[in-house]
Amino acid sequence: MDTEKRIILGIDIGTTSVKVCILDRKENTIIGRQTKDTQANVPSELGCEGNKQNVPKILSALHACVSRLPRDSLRQVEAIGICGQMHGVMLWSCFEDSLPWEKADIESSRFDVLSDKVSSLYTWQDSRCDPEFLSSLPKPDSHLKACSGYGCSTLFWMSKNRPEKLNKFNCAGTVQDFAVAMLCNLMKPVMSVQNAASWGYFNLSTNQWNMEILKSADFPVHLLPEVIDSGKIAGYLAETWHGIPAGIPVGAALGDLQCSVLSTLRNEDDSVLNISTSAQMAFISPSFDPLNFDANSKVLFLPYFNGKHLAVAAALNGGNALATFVSMLQQWTVELGSPLPQSKIWERVIEAASKCDSSDLNVVPTLLGERHAPEQNAMVTNITKGNISLGQVFKASCKGIIENLHNIMPREMLISCNISRILGVGSALTRNPVLQNEVKDCYQVPIVFENKGDAAWGAAYSVSIVP
């Protein structure tokens, strides 16, 4: 009997937007897709050192996207795959008689998230854990370091600086883990290996949290989710949801990076370059061993699917750096009395930079630092009268983003691992020909730019590839 799931809902809860799609696995085609900006950022009490998002807004965007998909197709959905932004952490309070979500009304398919029973989402961009604080933490039993913005690091910071907040909750996970718990009515969250590794203090050789290390440092270990293999089922849809029948399986939430790679990668000698909010270069590592690795490497080795690992250059600075530049220009236009919409500014800076043959201006765009250099700031050098036109500055900024990525994963590493081609995806890359040309000039390997890298598609596909 053929038990393969054919019609699958894929969900990607990203840093700035939610994307959903319905995948016909048999035909390998998308039946419907929707996207919606979450507009969920909220001010942090720590100012620029914090980065928080409003969870009810994120889940509202999810409901809006699913509700707009074809109703007939939703009724045929046989499984749900979910992924989302990695590293971040949120907390919630969950008891049999007091859940952090509720149906909006008897007839509604929408869940409302109760704001008094959930925390904010502390995202991967949160920098409250400065190098001094991180150095005070115990060393993880893992090939992955504990960095600022990682779930365990943030929970360590809260346990030492805001213990009263932790005392209000009994669950923790990524926002995509929360979505799975809500859909399946789970009292305790379930987390995939991919997301557990992104939190730090997780050993990929044993697939276990560093419990003894964490307990000895008074970490709130009772908050840690149960961890299962990536691609496995976390639970079953508790109620009919937007026409999707109750009882269908829901996969453990995955990392958006892994799902984006899964949706794009064609051959194991391809590398995937994804530039959206941040920037990543990733390929399947042919021989990674978590017991034998270079602790000083800037390249991360992250769990993929079916026991494989990805070699990843994960730059914190990508499309967000260019977006900050455009926001600055927009603010200047307001202050000069001739405001322009950001869409018009994007159009003009790309057009101006496309007309520049070159720029000897040097832009280091590391506004957020990098995980291997958290205290590094952005800077501009070699400024002359002849290289400060709008086009030259934007072109140099694009070049700086690619050079920063190349500093983490140079061309020589791709060649030594027999990577023969780069597949370029992500909204910040596919919409920006200036950035595309800088990739070609810097890496000097064949590159194809595609309107793919759909993590929602990858989340849907993942449900059917893992035994």
Side-chain angles (χ1 to χ4, degrees), residues 414-425:
L414 300 184
I415 301 303
S416 67
C417 292
N418 298 314
I419 298 302
S420 61
R421 181 177 62 166
I422 296 173
L423 303 176
V425 298

Side-chain angles (χ1 to χ4, degrees), residues 132-339:
E132 181 180 358
F133 177 80
L134 291 172
S135 67
S136 72
L137 301 181
K139 183 180 178 181
D141 177 20
S142 171
H143 75 283
L144 296 169
K145 300 176 182 177
C147 300
S148 191
Y150 284 23
C152 284
S153 300
T154 302
L155 289 174
F156 257 128
W157 188 95
M158 294 181 72
S159 69
K160 296 178 184 297
N161 295 281
R162 302 285 192 276
E164 69 282 359
K165 284 193 175 183
L166 290 185
N167 293 335
K168 294 170 56 179
F169 306 106
N170 65 351
C171 295
T174 66
V175 67
Q176 55 267 30
D177 295 323
F178 177 79
V180 170
M182 180 186 72
L183 294 176
C184 300
N185 208 39
L186 301 179
M187 295 299 103
K188 181 76 174 176
V190 174
M191 178 180 271
S192 71
V193 166
Q194 290 177 4
N195 280 322
S198 81
W199 265 25
Y201 292 94
F202 186 81
N203 188 301
L204 284 180
S205 297
T206 62
N207 276 357
Q208 299 288 331
W209 297 109
N210 297 167
M211 279 296 188
E212 295 307 315
I213 293 173
L214 294 171
K215 285 178 181 177
S216 66
D218 296 323
F219 181 90
V221 294
H222 66 283
L223 294 173
L224 292 173
E226 174 191 351
V227 179
I228 64 175
D229 287 342
S230 303
K232 295 297 186 181
I233 300 304
Y236 297 86
L237 189 62
E239 301 181 47
T240 300
W241 184 52
H242 296 289
I244 302 171
I248 67 167
V250 180
L254 303 167
D256 54 358
L257 168 63
Q258 287 91 336
C259 287
S260 180
V261 171
L262 181 64
S263 72
T264 307
L265 203 64
R266 297 179 186 172
N267 307 299
E268 293 203 0
D269 60 348
D270 287 339
S271 182
V272 176
L273 170 61
N274 187 341
I275 305 181
S276 298
T277 303
S278 54
Q280 301 96 21
M281 181 83 81
F283 60 88
I284 296 176
S285 175
S287 58
F288 173 68
D289 178 0
L291 297 177
N292 183 21
F293 64 94
D294 180 2
N296 296 315
S297 174
K298 299 175 185 177
V299 174
L300 304 177
F301 291 89
L302 303 180
Y304 190 45
F305 295 99
N306 294 327
K308 297 179 180 179
H309 294 84
L310 291 179
V312 182
L316 299 179
N317 302 273
N320 49 5
L322 295 180
T324 300
F325 176 71
V326 168
S327 295
M328 177 189 72
L329 293 180
Q330 185 187 40
Q331 182 60 35
W332 286 2
T333 68
V334 171
E335 293 173 7
L336 291 169
S338 300

